[in-house]
């Protein structure tokens, strides 16, 4: 089965094999692995040792978003969220329920937020301390540009938090070039092609410690994660870690380096997206995004107008042909979503396009323009 979803992704057999045994997290052999994962992740983030730290947390990406919001923004503190997609909607809810004050900057999920929009919103409200953007919006496939947003945040003297869960490792970004960025967060199971189970926040140590004690949650307190590392070592966890996911992630990082790191991964994913975008267009379908706003991670496609089309039967027909895609959509209009990340090649994508064509025929879908 070819898994074409934006996380957890298709992984390489070597990655899965590392999870096929038992480990003790406090064992000295394992502590070395864990400590080195933190260093390697810091390097991928362009972090500066001594200035930035890798702060891992068990669980899914939302846990990392919550921990970062709580650890960097004080209770009642104000953050601006560029709300141009479904993951931004989730961040708005999450930050609000964590007791932080959200100023939403709504925008269409078909284009990135601009630096000017951020600058205008910040100028209008000096009480906003932080801007949160979704780097790659996994609902639609657009990319919010950290260069444009970061420049506006820097100019306004505010701070940036980046949910880079579906971008990190594939899209270019370096903390060393972004002094305005407090934190970038991501998980093991997306563009770094590990198993799900662990997430990371790579953060500025000075800004983290300036907010120590404000999280309002011990488990989600990233300053405490940092202080624990100082006390007990970088190979030590506060609570039981997903050891298999970590062992597999270590192998995934080896494969990432062997492939050529971020530029190589970006190039492969971009070629996957190009192949899919052109392939579905040739089938008579309409991609949701204009080509110039299409990022290298997922392709969303308008559901065809033919009454013979329905999403779940389409997903089932595709699955019968060996390709698994999401059975829901996160855009305002009905679409289907195909992930192009993971251990997937353009050759795989060509096969997937043929399967999509076959599935449409199985269902008798003739009119393929947008519903
Ligand atoms: C996947 C993802 C998350 C986290 O999702 P979980 O299901 O909690 O792992 C957060 N933000 C973005 C942009 C994502 O793509």
């Amino acid at each position: 089965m070819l898994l074409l979803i934006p996380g957890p992704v298709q992984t390489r057999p070597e990655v899965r094999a590392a999870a096929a045994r038992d480990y003790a997290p406090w064992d000295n052999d394992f502590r070395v692995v864990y400590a080195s994962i933190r260093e390697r992740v810091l390097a991928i983030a362009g972090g500066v040792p001594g200035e930035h730290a890798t702060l891992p947390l068990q669980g899914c990406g939302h846990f990392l978003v919550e921990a970062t919001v709580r650890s960097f923004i004080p209770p009642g503190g104000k953050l601006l969220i560029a709300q141009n997609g479904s993951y931004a909607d989730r961040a708005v809810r999450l930050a609000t329920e964590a007791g932080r004050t959200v100023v939403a900057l709504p925008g269409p999920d078909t284009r990135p937020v601009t630096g000017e929009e951020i600058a205008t919103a910040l100028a209008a409200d000096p009480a906003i301390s932080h801007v949160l953007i979704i780097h790659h919006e996994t609902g639609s496939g657009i990319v919010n540009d950290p260069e444009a947003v970061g420049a506006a945040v820097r100019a306004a003297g505010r701070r940036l938090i980046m949910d880079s869960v579906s971008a990190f490792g594939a899209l270019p970004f370096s903390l060393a070039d972004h002094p305005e960025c407090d934190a970038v967060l991501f998980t093991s199971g997306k563009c770094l092609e590990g198993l799900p189970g662990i997430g990371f926040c790579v953060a500025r140590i000075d800004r983290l410690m300036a907010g120590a004690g404000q999280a309002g949650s011990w488990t989600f307190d990233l300053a405490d994660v940092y202080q624990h590392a100082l006390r007990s070592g970088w190979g030590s966890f506060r609570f039981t870690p997903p050891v298999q996911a970590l062992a597999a992630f270590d192998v995934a990082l080896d494969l990432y380096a062997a492939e050529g790191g971020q530029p190589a991964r970006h190039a492969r994913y971009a070629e996957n997206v190009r192949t899919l975008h052109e392939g579905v267009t040739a089938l008579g379908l309409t991609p949701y995004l204009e080509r110039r706003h299409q990022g290298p991670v997922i392709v969303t496609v308008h559901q065809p107008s033919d009454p013979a089309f329905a999403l779940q039967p389409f997903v089932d027909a595709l699955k019968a042909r060996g390709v698994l895609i999401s059975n829901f959509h996160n855009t305002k209009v009905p679409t289907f979503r195909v992930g192009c990340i993971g251990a997937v090649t353009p050759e795989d994508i060509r096969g997937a396009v043929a399967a999509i064509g076959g599935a449409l025929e199985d269902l008798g879908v003739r009119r393929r323009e947008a519903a």
Side-chain angles (χ1 to χ4, degrees):
M1 187 69 67
L2 181 65
L3 195 57
L4 296 183
I5 61 175
V9 297
Q10 178 91 27
T11 54
R12 297 255 296 256
E14 304 93 305
V15 171
R16 296 192 297 274
R21 52 159 289 203
D22 302 312
Y23 300 90
W26 43 261
D27 180 59
N28 284 337
D29 290 338
F30 193 80
R31 285 172 65 109
V32 173
V33 172
Y34 175 43
S36 91
I37 285 174
R38 294 175 99 156
E39 280 177 28
R40 297 164 87 187
V41 161
L42 184 72
I44 296 168
V48 182
E51 206 172 300
H52 300 99
T54 304
L55 308 165
L57 202 67
Q58 298 88 338
C60 65
H62 286 85
F63 288 12
L64 269 295
V65 180
E66 173 145 11
T68 304
V69 164
R70 286 180 172 277
S71 300
F72 284 89
I73 298 157
K78 242 186 196 181
L79 73 159
L80 179 74
I81 299 182
Q83 196 176 4
N84 59 344
S86 66
Y87 280 84
D89 295 343
R90 289 153 177 248
V92 168
R93 174 173 178 180
L94 184 153
T96 304
E97 295 202 9
R100 276 60 179 169
T101 306
V102 173
V103 179
L105 175 57
D109 68 356
T110 46
R111 66 158 175 88
V113 67
T114 66
E116 295 75 56
E117 288 169 323
I118 296 285
T120 304
L122 290 180
D125 192 341
I128 295 169
S129 64
H130 285 74
V131 176
L132 188 152
I133 60 165
I134 311 296
H135 190 177
H136 168 270
E137 175 50 70
T138 323
S140 67
I142 55 167
V143 177
N144 287 309
D145 178 15
E147 304 312 316
V149 173
V153 172
R154 218 159 41 237
R158 316 296 170 88
R159 313 296 311 165
L160 178 66
I161 290 172
M162 279 222 303
D163 171 350
S164 196
V165 177
S166 59
F168 189 84
L171 285 164
F173 178 75
S174 171
L175 279 170
D177 300 335
H178 288 273
E180 78 286 355
C181 186
D182 279 0
V184 56
L185 58 101
F186 51 92
T187 58
S188 51
K190 293 200 177 177
C191 300
L192 292 171
E193 301 184 3
L195 304 181
I198 182 91
F200 302 88
C201 175
V202 183
R204 282 195 73 91
I205 296 166
D206 56 355
R207 303 288 310 175
L208 175 73
M209 292 316 290
Q214 74 187 7
S217 159
W218 181 29
T219 47
F220 283 150
D221 185 351
L222 294 176
D224 192 64
V225 173
Y226 176 68
Q227 285 167 314
H228 178 86
L230 296 185
R231 273 194 310 272
S232 307
W234 295 92
S236 170
F237 256 97
R238 298 184 305 164
F239 314 123
T240 304
V243 277
Q244 281 80 9
L246 277 164
F249 190 59
D250 191 47
V251 175
L253 291 178
D254 291 343
L255 296 172
Y256 180 73
E259 183 174 357
Q262 179 269 322
R265 194 140 296 183
H266 184 249
R268 176 162 58 84
Y269 290 175
E271 185 58 18
N272 287 349
V273 161
R274 197 184 64 79
T275 306
L276 190 71
H277 207 273
E278 285 176 4
V280 294
T281 304
L283 290 172
L285 296 164
T286 312
Y288 182 61
L289 297 177
E290 282 178 50
R291 194 68 187 88
R292 67 193 167 117
H293 292 318
Q294 173 65 62
V297 176
I298 59 156
V299 175
T300 40
V301 183
H302 283 285
Q303 291 184 17
S305 57
D306 196 308
F309 185 90
L311 186 56
Q312 188 66 55
F314 173 64
V315 170
D316 291 343
L318 205 46
K319 184 170 154 189
R321 290 170 174 270
V323 178
L324 196 53
I325 66 166
S326 306
N327 64 353
F328 55 87
H329 63 85
N330 280 327
T331 49
K332 295 209 170 68
V333 303
T335 57
F336 66 89
R337 173 172 82 171
V338 186
C340 292
I341 60 174
V344 172
T345 64
E347 193 52 42
D348 294 325
I349 297 289
R350 276 187 281 280
V353 170
I356 290 170
L360 291 174
E361 271 164 35
D362 294 344
L363 300 182
V365 175
R366 296 201 140 73
R367 281 196 294 118
R368 295 181 177 181
E369 69 280 10

